[in-house]
């Protein structure tokens, strides 16, 4: 199989038309299979103990479907959990604990491989054979089974972690830009940089999807519920973007001398609502974004009493509750 995968993607699709379906769909069929089947468990163990698992990951990387690894990890974990529950009714002699541990360990490996090596595999899918295993922790299945292979091109020393740590991945911004805010929703995440750009990434394989260039300093960003829109509030303007294409859907000037400290979508994503440092909550309708901002209630956040020895100043932080029914001001 590996020799067949060495060709370009279009050639593989024409000569092996069933390959993509087989690589991407077996986790779905596993979910539909009989959970307590001994034959199913045996097939999974044979697959994960052999080099076929590397060819499978190679295939997914070629077709840019590494998100299947995440799906497979979830389904394998569910399969293991259900089998452990069924073991309660079986004789201890029939418990295949070692095999279930193998499946559970590989489920963890799949998640970590996508997070740590996803971008590298998309650039060079063959790296899964010789380059990825040596960089995995020594107690991971990937390293134990393939990290010491004679075919490995490198030897890695100095890795102190014997198991996967809590860090899934690191995101590096270009030109030494700093990440100021991160927003996550559904399949995508957005990283706001110090240069006023928003880097949109795929939360499954961490591949960069697009870059949104607002053109000025940005103070707040937010996804809508379906994760097909993102709003960015700059110093002078607020812009609405289409996700994942990155197309600009609309722009409107911001009120003078008011900086948005938080922004959210309200009324079933029909409105954009902001909380600004002038202590005013404003909103605009997405269907008429050029129509500009309207004030919800200018007196809502105004303080009429002054604490002895204190001063009434602009807030340092403002945040909406998840349902936007409340707001915290500090």
């Amino acid at each position: 199989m590996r020799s067949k995968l060495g060709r370009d993607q279009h050639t593989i699709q024409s000569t092996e038309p069933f390959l993509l379906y087989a690589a991407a769909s077996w986790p779905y069929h596993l979910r539909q299979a009989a959970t307590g089947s001994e034959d199913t468990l045996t097939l999974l163990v044979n697959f994960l103990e052999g080099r076929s698992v590397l060819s499978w990951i190679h295939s997914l990387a070629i077709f840019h479907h590494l998100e299947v690894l995440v799906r497979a990890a979830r389904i394998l974990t569910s399969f293991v959990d259900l089998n452990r529950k069924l073991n309660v009714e079986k004789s201890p002699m029939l418990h295949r604990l070692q095999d279930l541990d193998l499946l559970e360990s590989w489920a963890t490996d799949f998640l970590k491989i996508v997070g740590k090596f996803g971008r590298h595999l998309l650039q060079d899918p063959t790296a899964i054979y010789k380059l990825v295993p040596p960089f995995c922790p020594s107690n991971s299945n990937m390293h134990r089974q393939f990290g010491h292979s004679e075919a490995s091109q490198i030897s890695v020393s100095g890795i102190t972690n014997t198991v996967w740590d809590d860090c899934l991945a690191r995101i590096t911004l270009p030109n030494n830009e700093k990440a100021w805010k991160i927003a996550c929703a559904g399949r995508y995440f957005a990283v706001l940089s110090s240069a006023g750009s928003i880097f949109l990434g795929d939360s499954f394989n961490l591949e960069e999807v697009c870059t949104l260039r607002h053109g000025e300093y940005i103070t707040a960003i937010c996804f809508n519920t379906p994760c097909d829109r993102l709003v960015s509030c700059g110093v002078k303007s607020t812009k609405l973007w289409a996700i994942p294409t990155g197309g600009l859907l609309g722009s409107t000037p911001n009120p003078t001398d008011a900086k948005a400290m938080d922004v959210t979508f309200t009324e079933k994503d029909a409105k954009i609502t902001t909380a600004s440092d002038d202590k005013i909550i404003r909103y605009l309708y997405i269907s008429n974004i050029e129509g500009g901002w309207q004030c919800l209630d200018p007196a809502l956040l105004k303080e009429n009493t002054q604490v002895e020895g204190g001063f009434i100043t602009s807030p340092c932080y403002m945040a909406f509750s998840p349902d936007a029914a409340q707001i915290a001001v500090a």
Side-chain angles (χ1 to χ4, degrees):
M1 176 58 70
R2 182 179 174 182
S3 60
K4 296 180 180 179
L5 295 175
R7 294 169 289 186
D8 64 270
Q9 179 178 337
H10 297 292
T11 302
I12 295 173
Q13 287 179 319
S14 61
T15 59
E16 306 290 337
F18 188 68
L19 178 60
L20 176 58
Y21 175 82
S25 300
W26 74 256
Y28 167 80
H29 291 287
L30 174 61
R31 186 174 58 185
Q32 307 302 319
T35 305
S37 170
E38 294 292 327
D39 292 338
T40 300
L41 180 55
T42 299
L43 286 172
L44 286 171
V45 170
N46 291 339
F47 171 65
L48 295 175
E49 286 185 336
R51 298 189 64 84
S52 295
V53 66
L54 299 182
S55 298
W56 171 58
I57 298 174
H58 184 183
S59 302
L60 296 177
I62 289 176
F63 293 111
H64 283 232
H65 281 296
L66 289 179
E67 70 277 2
V68 176
L69 285 171
V70 179
R71 192 180 313 132
R74 293 173 179 170
I75 293 174
L76 280 176
T77 300
S78 177
F79 180 88
V80 170
D81 291 342
L82 290 173
N83 270 272
R84 293 193 193 281
K85 293 178 181 179
L86 292 175
N87 279 345
V88 176
E89 302 175 0
K90 295 181 181 179
S91 167
M93 299 297 294
L94 300 177
H95 294 178
R96 299 174 61 177
L97 300 181
Q98 187 173 353
D99 291 341
L100 294 177
D101 288 343
L102 175 72
L103 269 60
E104 196 169 42
S105 180
W106 266 113
T108 300
D109 281 12
F110 291 157
L111 290 174
K112 298 296 185 178
I113 288 170
V114 174
K116 291 186 176 294
F117 307 108
R119 285 176 291 177
H120 305 289
L121 288 172
L122 291 175
Q123 295 174 358
D124 180 13
T126 62
I128 192 63
Y129 298 103
K130 301 178 181 180
L131 300 179
V132 170
F135 282 97
C136 296
S138 57
N139 286 342
S140 66
N141 280 331
M142 178 63 75
H143 189 280
R144 286 191 287 108
Q145 293 180 207
F146 308 112
H148 301 287
S149 172
E150 294 181 358
S152 181
Q153 293 179 329
I154 59 175
S155 176
V156 180
S157 60
I159 298 179
T160 57
N161 292 336
T162 59
V163 296
W164 296 107
D165 57 22
D166 293 333
C167 178
L168 179 61
R170 289 182 175 87
I171 302 168
T172 303
L173 301 184
N175 303 319
N176 294 321
E177 296 178 26
K178 296 180 179 180
W180 281 4
K181 292 180 183 291
I182 297 179
C184 303
R187 171 146 192 176
Y188 303 105
F189 65 88
V191 181
L192 172 59
S193 78
S194 54
S197 297
I198 303 171
F199 297 92
L200 187 70
D202 190 310
S203 58
F204 282 116
N205 55 32
L206 300 181
E207 184 179 13
E208 184 176 338
V209 176
C210 65
T211 301
L212 312 177
R213 304 194 184 280
H214 192 111
E216 60 177 317
Y217 175 79
I218 301 174
T219 60
I221 59 175
C222 182
F223 285 103
N224 67 346
T225 303
C227 200
D228 59 0
R229 299 288 185 270
L230 182 140
V231 60
S232 59
C233 298
V235 174
K236 297 180 180 179
S237 65
T238 294
K239 297 184 179 182
L240 182 66
W241 309 87
I243 304 300
T245 62
L248 180 62
L249 299 176
S251 177
T252 188
N254 288 339
T256 304
D257 298 327
K259 180 180 70 175
M261 303 191 75
D262 196 17
V263 62
T264 187
F265 287 85
T266 55
E267 293 191 9
K268 298 182 179 180
D269 298 320
K271 294 195 319 186
I272 296 173
T273 303
T274 63
S276 302
D277 60 353
D278 59 357
K279 301 180 183 178
I280 295 179
I281 297 177
R282 297 178 174 87
Y283 66 90
L284 58 79
Y285 288 95
I286 292 178
S287 59
N288 185 30
I289 192 170
E290 289 79 9
W293 297 97
Q294 302 179 49
C295 296
L296 182 64
D297 182 356
L300 182 62
L301 299 178
K302 297 298 183 181
E303 297 179 71
N304 298 320
T305 59
Q306 184 172 344
V307 179
E308 184 178 353
F311 299 93
I312 297 178
T313 60
S314 297
C316 298
Y317 190 81
M318 306 177 78
F320 288 105
S321 62
D323 60 357
Q326 297 176 310
I327 185 171
V329 182

